[in-house]
Amino acid sequence: MLLDVRGLKTQFFTQDGVVHAVNGISYQLSEGETLGIVGESGCGKSVGVMSLMRLIPMPPGKIVGGQVLFQGRDLLKISDEEMRSVRGNKIAMIFQDPMTSLNPVLTVGRQVSEALELHLGMSRSEARRRTIELLEMVGIPMAADRVDDYPHQFSGGMRQRVMIAMGLSCNPQLLIADEPTTALDVTIQAQIIDLVKKLRDEIGMAIIWITHDLGVVAGLANRVAVMYAGYIVEEAPVKELYGNPRHPYTLGLLGSLPRLDEQRRRRLTSIEGLPPDLIDLPAGCPFYERCAYRIPRCQAENPGLETVAPNHKVACWVDVTSAQRTR
């Protein structure tokens, strides 16, 4: 087991109250496996992985509970110096917007080679040679000529490739990708996803891919965890989740996806209402107000994740396969 997250809780202490951003999530990741984490904006996907990297701004944020066991070592208990040796070296992260992640006054070559010098002890000339190899590996044409260019001289897709080169520079065992294709057009999205799949197979690293797009996850992940209001509400192998969704929220997400394999036209469904206020979470299921399968117990008690099929867990009091919709 490469990564074992147990009961992770992260909160933000604001003037308006305590924001319950991540509410006791647990999942595991094996070596070489790809886990997709999906859910709408504000559900806690990014805060969850920023917590395990210990990148939450404190204050106002605070990790208030749980364990993050990486190769058996709890990342929440090690010193800041030890954590710096893990970040970028054993666990790397690609962020959503490369323009805000890259330093505008440093060349891309300098930014990639910095990690090689810091973590692998390379000389500046060795790091430069390796940087050119990495830029070529991620598909940047004429890498030797472009290594001294600045971020603003690259397109959005090329900047994201630079970020991937930075992430892979030290051959990490785990790569966390936080919505890395959101700002890119669909053609470039497909190229970036194909690139990550190819590099994953070559290097053998594990990946956590965060997105709100279930279509992206379908061709990339082995397993999917669906998040809502800071909770994981369903977790299953990717084919099982798409073929046999068991949580009303997952059903709603899949129903909102356009399908190319449908013979006749079908109206896309929408999920009525809004997510709950994370400062004032309800006592029961956080999806209760928007759920078409709700029963009185849902309002009073929040269900935990229970196994409903091999490797398939759901947090729901209702079996949606046999229950009738209430509205």
Side-chain angles (χ1 to χ4, degrees), residues 140-156:
I140 291 181
M142 299 184 295
D145 297 329
R146 305 220 58 189
V147 71
D148 293 320
D149 285 352
Y150 290 86
H152 72 270
Q153 295 172 277
F154 289 78
S155 68

Side-chain angles (χ1 to χ4, degrees), residues 166-178:
M166 287 174 70
L168 299 178
S169 58
C170 298
N171 293 326
Q173 288 147 299
L174 172 59
L175 179 70
I176 298 171
D178 186 5

